[in-house]
Amino acid sequence: QANLVESGGGSVHAGGSLKLSCAGSRYAITWENVAWFRQPPGKGREWVATISNRRGGPFYTNSVKGRFTMSQDNAKTTAFLQMDSLKPEDTAMYFCAASDYPYDSQWSDEGRYNYWGRGTQVTVSS
């Protein structure tokens, strides 16, 4: 059962932009850490970015630095992922994840997150 819901996915050409959003699916979830993961076709899920309410951030995987910008609203119940200069290799299902425990490290560890969404598809054509 998904606790979070993502929106904003779609299909764009290389160089285009999309903005993803994430929030509680039935009620507002106030998290300590919130993250984006993605799963390219035929591959495993990989970490993209995290914001930690204690440690700051956002923190990004190297492949998206300078192109993606993660943010959250002041209430810390809605997260965003602005994706610019998209490349075909960014094509994936994008998942939002959150934790209500203030982990200070290992943002890429899926086990750190106890809330997940079902994902939103992003397709980038060349």
Side-chain angles (χ1 to χ4, degrees), residues 65-109:
K65 285 181 181 177
R67 300 188 299 119
F68 290 12
T69 304
M70 184 177 180
S71 60
Q72 64 179 347
D73 66 349
N74 290 335
K76 300 179 173 58
T77 59
T78 304
F80 306 96
L81 186 67
Q82 176 67 45
M83 305 185 294
D84 299 316
S85 302
L86 282 161
K87 303 176 181 179
E89 51 263 44
D90 295 317
T91 294
M93 183 72 78
Y94 282 72
F95 298 88
C96 180
S99 66
D100 50 17
Y101 186 83
Y103 293 109
D104 287 344
S105 62
Q106 296 181 289
W107 316 121
S108 62
D109 183 352

Side-chain angles (χ1 to χ4, degrees), residues 10-18 86 122-126:
S11 297
V12 296
H13 291 293
S17 298
L18 286 171
L86 282 161
V122 171
T123 302
V124 185
S125 58
S126 58

